[in-house]
Amino acid sequence: MSVITEEEKTNHGGVVEEKPKRWRLNSPLSQVTLMGFVCFCCPGMFNALSGMGGGGQVDPTAANNANTAVYTAFTVFGVLGGAFYNVLGPRLTLAAGCSTYVLYAGSFLYYNHHHHQAFAIVAGALLGCGAGLLWAGEGAVMTSYPPPHRKGTYIALFWSIFNLGGVIGGFVPFILNYRRSSAASVNDATYIAFMCFMFAGVLLSFGILPANSVVRDDGSRCSAVKYSRASTEFAAVLRLFLDKKMLLIVPAAWASNFFYSYQFNNVNGLLFNLRTRGFNNVFYWGAQMAGSFAIGYIMDFSFKSRRARGFAGISLVAVIGTVIWAGGLANQHGYSFDNLPVKKLDFKDSGKGFAGPFMLYMSYGLLDAMYQSMVYWLIGALANDSMTLSRYSGFYKGVQSAGAAVAWQIDTRKVPLMSQLVINWSLTTVSYPLLIILVYVFVKDEDDAGDVSGNKV
């Protein structure tokens, strides 16, 4: 029997009430934090591996084809992931998804010795299935567990922990390949380290609780989820393709991972040597942590009106995005596939020539976090129950993955670099006015929406 101190209790007419514990597993804060560490270990390390350019290999073809397989499968399972989540629940869905990341990293360990693409491509397809499950579960947790008026803050917390995985993952190849300044491919220890982190993510996923077991500090529960039949979920997913809210999000979803192939392979991969790519990734993903907190603050605290905060966040990201892509345009004039740099940049040896491209690459990371956190906030503002939000998040990730699958093949086919940059810039620019319409028509202020936080315990 636990002892309650005087500081932990209040007396109301002789009735002793315990104050909520500051840290408990079934709180939204604990669950979002734990979800952040699951993604720290799995997609965070995957991002670090991809950010090396070509998966850490001298020839990016195998990684490009594997990533195409990833995102092609992800297109299907991203859309259906919410259905799996609503049928299987969070633990089974997340554990199954996380396990596929370990296999994917292992396929590149195999490729380091045998240079056969088949294993990497098959592992990529399986990862696409698993990633669809993981991100649908992540979307449901991140958008439905937090209190409605603090979703931006919780999204920022999650995004920072998740991207810390990219920071630590950037240190792994940087440290393990530091003395290999002329090496073209990372060593075996790099892939083994990634696999260990990813397996830890599988174990952590079993700590995620179902929504109706999560209790907020005010005593309210998250939406009680009654897991539905597969046929019900499939029909609900199909209806999303006719949902006006989702159609307005499609351009943003398509754009949100489209730029990775350009940034990872054709900025980090083409301009910098191996050890510097790892160094750059530490700051790319670190900038994402700063970007997620900045936009999270704007989306939660800038104005009293939720709609006003939505407009402010979209406008800020649009301005910052325009400035950063303009910087990318200036940088891209300096090289092309037919005119590659004679010597790749090194963070120690290249002097002032390193600073500009490095700052640009880091700024791309900042923009990525602000853009995606903004979209997740908008999705979270469209509903409160985890069943609906898991479908919305799955739809978003499915469309996002379809765009990414196309982007990796665009790079494989050596589409001119300037054309790739213009496509990326155009896609993000088109999405902003549509998101403004989404907020204007479908996002309501809390008082007008009759926001329901859950059932009192």
Side-chain angles (χ1 to χ4, degrees):
M1 183 175 180
S2 61
V3 177
I4 304 174
T5 66
E6 292 300 322
E7 295 179 347
E8 294 175 321
K9 61 185 180 181
T10 55
N11 194 307
H12 297 281
V15 179
V16 176
E17 296 180 355
E18 291 187 54
K19 291 183 178 180
K21 295 179 181 178
R22 291 184 178 181
W23 188 264
R24 50 191 171 80
L25 183 62
N26 69 334
S27 72
L29 179 61
S30 298
Q31 289 295 295
V32 170
T33 301
L34 185 59
M35 191 71 243
F37 279 107
V38 170
C39 291
F40 168 103
C41 292
C42 293
M45 293 298 153
F46 169 82
N47 284 345
L49 180 60
S50 297
M52 290 294 296
Q57 297 293 319
V58 61
D59 182 1
T61 304
N64 283 357
N65 290 332
N67 277 319
T68 300
V70 169
Y71 290 108
T72 300
F74 200 169
T75 300
V76 177
F77 277 80
V79 174
L80 297 178
F84 280 96
Y85 175 86
N86 289 335
V87 172
L88 299 177
R91 287 172 173 161
L92 288 178
T93 302
L94 293 170
C98 288
S99 63
T100 60
Y101 285 84
V102 184
L103 181 66
Y104 181 80
S107 73
F108 279 91
L109 177 62
Y110 174 86
Y111 185 83
N112 231 16
H113 294 274
H114 302 286
H115 296 285
H116 295 154
Q117 291 189 40
F119 184 19
I121 293 172
V122 171
L126 292 174
L127 173 58
C129 300
L133 302 182
L134 185 148
W135 282 106
E138 174 272 342
V141 169
M142 194 171 67
T143 55
S144 68
Y145 286 22
H149 61 292
R150 289 292 178 266
K151 287 185 178 182
T153 304
Y154 278 74
I155 289 171
L157 173 65
F158 163 81
W159 207 262
S160 297
I161 297 172
F162 159 46
N163 285 310
L164 183 61
V167 173
I168 301 301
F171 274 119
V172 169
F174 174 65
I175 293 171
L176 296 178
N177 298 275
Y178 181 79
R179 298 189 183 278
R180 306 171 70 233
S181 60
S182 60
S185 302
V186 299
N187 56 20
D188 289 355
T190 303
Y191 294 118
I192 293 171
F194 282 136
M195 292 172 69
C196 291
F197 274 109
M198 291 169 175
F199 183 72
V202 177
L203 300 180
L204 288 174
S205 67
F206 287 102
I208 301 297
L209 301 175
N212 53 11
S213 297
V214 178
V215 182
R216 300 190 179 108
D217 288 341
D218 64 358
S220 64
R221 292 186 183 273
C222 298
S223 59
V225 176
K226 183 178 180 180
Y227 298 120
S228 59
R229 294 174 298 179
S231 58
T232 302
E233 287 301 316
F234 183 71
V237 167
L238 289 180
R239 286 195 294 270
L240 292 179
F241 289 93
L242 301 176
D243 189 321
K244 294 178 181 178
K245 297 186 290 293
M246 293 297 99
L247 294 178
L248 288 169
I249 287 176
V250 164
W254 185 274
S256 59
N257 269 13
F258 200 91
F259 43 67
Y260 280 162
S261 61
Y262 172 77
Q263 293 173 2
F264 294 160
N265 283 0
N266 300 324
V267 179
N268 202 28
L270 290 182
L271 295 181
F272 304 95
N273 65 16
L274 182 65
R275 69 178 184 179
T276 305
R277 284 182 242 160
F279 176 84
N280 291 349
N281 276 335
V282 171
F283 291 90
Y284 180 94
W285 300 110
Q288 295 229 6
M289 297 169 66
S292 62
F293 269 113
I295 197 64
Y297 182 87
I298 295 295
M299 303 303 265
D300 272 355
F301 300 109
S302 57
F303 295 96
K304 182 177 180 181
S305 164
R306 178 161 64 178
R307 298 178 74 204
R309 299 195 302 269
F311 292 137
I314 296 168
S315 301
L316 178 64
V317 173
V319 171
I320 292 176
T322 300
V323 172
I324 291 173
W325 282 113
L329 180 66
N331 179 71
Q332 190 57 71
H333 279 295
Y335 68 102
S336 66
F337 281 130
D338 298 325
N339 181 32
L340 293 175
V342 176
K343 184 179 180 181
K344 294 196 173 186
L345 297 171
D346 184 84
F347 77 101
K348 287 182 66 177
D349 302 332
S350 297
K352 294 181 180 179
F354 167 75
F358 167 75
M359 290 299 297
L360 172 66
Y361 186 66
M362 184 173 68
S363 297
Y364 281 143
L366 178 78
L367 177 60
D368 178 25
M370 296 185 75
Y371 190 87
Q372 295 211 54
S373 296
M374 171 196 70
V375 177
Y376 268 116
W377 184 93
L378 293 174
I379 292 173
L382 298 176
N384 278 329
D385 67 283
S386 62
M387 183 171 287
T388 299
L389 288 170
S390 68
R391 295 171 186 151
Y392 285 176
S393 299
F395 181 87
Y396 169 72
K397 297 301 293 187
V399 175
Q400 180 188 70
S401 300
V406 172
W408 287 105
Q409 280 306 297
I410 285 176
D411 186 59
T412 298
R413 298 176 189 282
K414 302 299 179 184
V415 171
L417 297 178
M418 186 61 74
S419 298
Q420 292 192 39
L421 182 143
V422 170
I423 292 170
N424 281 303
W425 191 357
S426 300
L427 285 172
T428 54
T429 301
V430 166
S431 70
Y432 298 129
L434 297 178
L435 294 178
I436 290 288
I437 295 172
L438 178 74
V439 173
Y440 182 78
V441 177
F442 295 107
V443 174
K444 307 299 181 184
D445 287 324
E446 285 89 347
D447 293 340
D448 296 335
D451 228 1
V452 179
S453 59
N455 300 315
K456 287 285 184 181
V457 176

